Structures are given as structure tokens and as C-alpha cells.
Amino acid sequence: MRMLRLSSLATILFLVFVVAVAVSGAPATAYGPEELIPRKVIFGNPKRAAPFLSPDGSKIIFTAPVEGVMNVWVSPVDDLSAAKPITHEKQRPIWKYWWARNGTHVLYMQDQRGNENFHLFAVDLAKGTTKDLTPYGNVRADVIASSYKRPDEILVGLNKRDKRWHDPWLVNVVTGKAKMVLKNKGFAAVFADSNLNVRLAMKPRPDGSKELYRRDGRSWLPLATIPAADSLTTEPLFFAPGDKAVYMFESRDRDKRALAMLDLKTGTTTTVGASSKSDVAEYIHDPVTMEMLAYASEYERMK
């Protein structure tokens, strides 16, 4: 989640949270020039970290230690003293977690003893139960997409059928029911529209370039080519409102990366935002309407 996707309210909440944590933490300690700073000060667990606001704005989740291991906690937005842990990992910390679109479940990723075969888990806040949504041995789960139009479901890539490729599976986060919706035949990435229908895919080529394909019924039709020189700076991001175009980072035929929109029918791109000094690096979009709200570039400082 390297893209900045916080709403204004979430941003304000985050700042308030950081200040609250700083005030409630241990007093600052001054260390002399010859005194070693204890390693736990630098590498130890924070008191609280990385809050996320619930879809209805009433709660936040964040990570905090439980018996020395970072776990996910939930709290009313206006009362941190009422926070309680909702996960109970004993060995490895949880770092990737978020709200399901329905607001009743919290999702998180966790592997087993560092094997990097991450599973997707769902915590039912009302029942206090946790369910492994991808309970398959030696299989890695990668989240593809979610949508407020289908709040109880999430699209997940699983290399269950073929270890080389992740097939898209539609998973119900409430019931745990899952079904494969597409057999991946060599795509490095797939992209879904607001109804969680897979409509765009990207395939690597031997020369280092990438080919974009659009789905037409059961067929995949070539849409655009990304040269090898642009393969690290040009990529689709997510479907735009109406599902007829895709927002993307675009550096083809440009000196600096821009924010653009790719028409799925014609393959043409329209510039949405650009900087004359540096690449576009971040963006903010509305998670409900999927409308692009803002972008930023970093030349000396982010702006």
C-alpha cells in the first residue's frame, strides 16, 4: 500500500492519533555523546502504530503489542482507553491489515514462520471469531481488488492450481465461501472493475516489455504495449468511475512519470496530472466512487 489513499477525515484522525500516542508514551530521554542508545528504543515495538478508520467512521484499528508481539486492536474513534486486541498472534507480528468494505470484518495477512505463503484472515468483530479465508497448504494469497458495490466479497489471487500463477478467486469474507473465477494463463497481474469482474491483465514478454490485454467475453485482446524502458514506471492502478477506463502511472514517450487514464476500448491515454520537475509519486482517490482526487510529486519535498 505504497499509494496515499487516506481521505481528509482519516488524515486528520491519523495526526490526532500520532499526537495522542506521543503524549501518552514514555517521556523523552536525552542520551550523552558517549552513551549508547538502547537497541529497544530503535528496534523495539511501538506503543501503537498505523491506525485505519472504519468505513462508517465510528472505529479505528491499529497495531499494538500483545505479550511482545504486534497484533491488531480495535477502538471507538473517540475512546482509545476502550481498545481491545482482536488478533492473538504469538510468534510473528501482523503488519498488513485493513477494514473489509462491509465494516463488520477486519482482514489481515499472515504467513507461517516466515515461509511467505501468506494467508488471508477475516475477524468477525461481532462474534469475536477469526477465519482463514485461504486455508490451503503451500499456497500464497495476494489481494487483487475489493469494492463497496460488493462489500462482503474480495478478489484474491491464489497459486493453488499452478505455483507459477495466481488464479483470481472470489471470496466471501463473512461465510468463507470461495470460487475460482478465472484460470490464469501467464498473466503477471490482473485488474478488476467495480463489480469485481476481471477485465484487464498484464503479461511479461521475453524482452522485458509488458503487454496489456483487455477481456472481451472469454477472449483476451491486446490493448497496449509497455516497452522495457518504461516497465518500472508505467502500470495500471485501478478502474475509473464507469469502468470504461483505468487510471495508471504513465511514462511512455515522456521524460517523467505522469498520472493518466487509459481508455479500454481504444488504448489511448489522457494525462490526468503531471509535474515538470519530477515523477508523480502519490495519489488520493475516493474509495467509494473511485474518482481521482489529488496527486503529488516529490522534488526536494512532496507537493
Side-chain angles (χ1 to χ4, degrees):
M1 297 184 177
R2 56 193 174 89
M3 304 306 167
L4 184 61
R5 302 178 183 179
L6 298 176
S7 66
S8 298
L9 177 59
T11 303
I12 294 172
L13 176 65
F14 175 77
L15 294 175
V16 172
F17 185 91
V18 170
V19 171
V21 171
V23 171
S24 62
T29 302
Y31 296 96
E34 298 181 359
E35 187 177 1
L36 290 177
I37 300 174
R39 276 178 287 189
K40 67 179 182 180
V41 173
I42 301 175
F43 300 108
N45 289 330
K47 184 175 181 179
R48 302 186 186 99
F52 293 96
L53 186 67
S54 64
D56 66 0
S58 66
K59 304 179 186 70
I60 57 172
I61 52 174
F62 56 89
T63 50
V66 176
E67 297 181 0
V69 179
M70 296 297 285
N71 275 271
V72 183
W73 295 57
V74 66
S75 168
V77 72
D78 57 353
D79 185 9
L80 284 178
S81 66
K84 60 180 181 180
I86 59 173
T87 64
H88 303 279
E89 290 290 328
K90 302 296 185 182
Q91 296 180 337
R92 294 179 59 78
I94 297 174
W95 296 116
K96 189 173 182 179
Y97 58 96
W98 65 98
W99 287 95
R101 297 300 193 187
N102 58 21
T104 63
H105 289 66
V106 172
L107 307 178
Y108 70 93
M109 307 291 291
Q110 185 67 302
D111 66 350
Q112 300 298 314
R113 298 181 181 273
N115 64 2
E116 298 192 7
N117 284 324
F118 289 92
H119 286 205
L120 176 64
F121 294 85
V123 180
D124 186 323
L125 294 182
K127 297 179 179 179
T129 56
T130 299
K131 186 187 298 292
D132 186 349
L133 298 177
T134 55
Y136 313 110
N138 197 29
V139 170
R140 178 187 173 106
D142 286 329
V143 174
I144 297 172
S146 61
S147 172
Y148 277 104
K149 289 186 178 180
R150 304 182 71 165
D152 287 343
E153 295 171 305
I154 188 169
L155 199 64
V156 182
L158 296 174
N159 61 345
K160 181 175 181 289
R161 178 187 59 85
D162 186 331
K163 299 305 177 188
R164 297 173 301 172
W165 312 108
H166 283 73
D167 299 320
W169 286 62
L170 191 63
V171 181
N172 189 300
V173 304
V174 179
T175 66
K177 291 183 178 180
K179 63 177 180 180
M180 188 173 71
V181 297
L182 181 70
K183 184 179 291 187
N184 186 344
K185 296 182 179 180
F187 294 125
V190 297
F191 304 86
D193 63 18
S194 62
N195 289 303
L196 299 184
N197 296 316
V198 178
R199 302 255 317 278
L200 184 70
M202 185 166 59
K203 179 178 290 189
R205 302 171 74 178
D207 64 356
S209 63
K210 298 175 182 177
E211 192 75 29
L212 292 179
Y213 294 85
R214 66 178 179 88
R215 195 177 183 188
D216 185 7
R218 294 187 177 183
S219 301
W220 287 99
L221 305 179
L223 179 65
T225 300
I226 301 174
D230 297 298
S231 62
L232 297 179
T233 48
T234 298
E235 61 177 331
L237 299 173
F238 57 88
F239 274 71
D243 293 331
K244 295 181 179 180
V246 174
Y247 287 113
M248 65 183 298
F249 282 140
E250 173 68 271
S251 67
R252 292 175 295 174
D253 301 319
R254 307 179 66 96
D255 179 55
K256 299 171 182 66
R257 184 171 72 178
L259 188 63
M261 188 179 292
L262 173 68
D263 188 291
L264 291 179
K265 185 176 182 179
T266 65
T268 59
T269 58
T270 303
T271 300
V272 175
S275 169
S276 61
K277 291 186 175 181
S278 59
D279 292 347
V280 172
E282 309 282 358
Y283 64 84
I284 302 173
H285 76 286
D286 187 309
V288 178
T289 67
M290 305 306 288
E291 180 183 3
M292 189 67 71
L293 301 177
Y295 68 93
S297 61
E298 187 170 5
Y299 182 81
E300 294 183 346
R301 63 180 182 178
M302 188 72 69
K303 64 178 181 178

